[in-house]
Amino acid sequence: MNGATPDVPARPGLTPPQDASPPRRHPDAPAPGEPLGAHYEHCFGCGGAQPHGLHLEARAGEGVSVTAEFTVQPAHQGAPGLAHGGVLATALDETLGSLNWLLRRIAVTGRLETEYVRPVPVGATLHLDARCTAVAGRKIYCTATGRIGGPDGEVAVRADALFVEVKPAHFTEHGRAQEIRAVVGDPGRAGAARAVEVNP
């Protein structure tokens, strides 16, 4: 999509430059169909320890793509009976951020542009599909679509995003020390890098 469709003009900052490269799936990335799991148990998007979080479940797809699902709960509503727009943007951001795990790059959201196509009612399951479109230096370009009524259902939301690769120090310098220590000191984790791969 490269940040635009035939009906939508290119979006400054979200369109890859001419010299951008196609994304390359890391050889150690999870296999297609494999669950990615939560990157951090207290993450509002994917963590199981957040009682009102999205509990979004993502799976690796083919190439540099992921699919994910989350069911809208009453705690996620904005207008009565409908998902809050910010919650839908969070679901898109979380899904897009999971792409970085397939690239094995630590990156944060630099820009996220969301298009709301139709309301998403409480109780509906949002089926998300995201893919990386290009990489240019530290910049990672990607796009996602959320559908209701099934993976091939009606489009409810879309987003284009730019992620920026950072060093692990981004998190240790800006995060709360107690959470950083808990993650780094947990011997049961596959690695601290998984806990800090997405979101500023």
Side-chain angles (χ1 to χ4, degrees):
M1 185 162 135
N2 293 334
T5 64
D7 301 333
V8 180
R11 300 170 183 172
L14 291 174
T15 302
Q18 297 259 341
D19 61 349
S21 303
R24 292 193 179 133
R25 185 189 187 98
H26 193 279
D28 295 329
E34 187 174 328
L36 299 183
H39 72 272
Y40 177 49
E41 66 179 355
H42 295 291
C43 172
F44 182 78
C46 64
Q50 284 290 352
H52 298 300
L54 306 187
H55 301 158
L56 188 137
E57 297 179 3
R59 290 183 177 273
E62 298 290 337
V64 185
S65 70
V66 298
T67 58
E69 293 181 3
F70 100 93
T71 300
V72 180
Q73 302 298 322
H76 302 146
Q77 63 191 313
L82 297 175
H84 191 291
V87 168
L88 297 177
T90 300
L92 288 160
D93 184 45
E94 184 72 31
T95 306
L96 288 158
S98 295
L99 293 165
N100 297 313
W101 190 235
L102 303 183
L103 298 169
R104 282 297 198 270
R105 296 175 77 166
I106 299 172
V108 297
T109 311
R111 184 167 178 181
L112 176 71
E113 188 163 320
T114 305
E115 179 184 2
Y116 300 94
V117 180
R118 58 179 32 89
V120 179
V122 170
T125 297
L126 191 65
H127 300 265
L128 298 129
D129 188 352
R131 64 186 172 87
C132 183
T133 57
V135 175
R138 294 173 53 220
K139 295 182 177 180
I140 302 165
Y141 298 85
C142 43
T143 187
T145 302
R147 299 173 182 270
I148 52 176
D152 298 317
E154 293 181 312
V155 173
V157 289
R158 296 187 188 96
D160 290 311
L162 168 66
F163 283 78
V164 181
E165 186 173 13
V166 295
K167 302 290 186 190
H170 171 89
F171 301 94
T172 57
E173 290 172 6
H174 301 289
R176 288 199 324 169
Q178 62 199 48
E179 279 87 0
I180 301 285
R181 283 194 300 272
V183 169
V184 173
D186 183 354
R189 293 196 64 82
R194 179 72 175 115
V196 296
E197 100 247 12
V198 294
N199 299 325

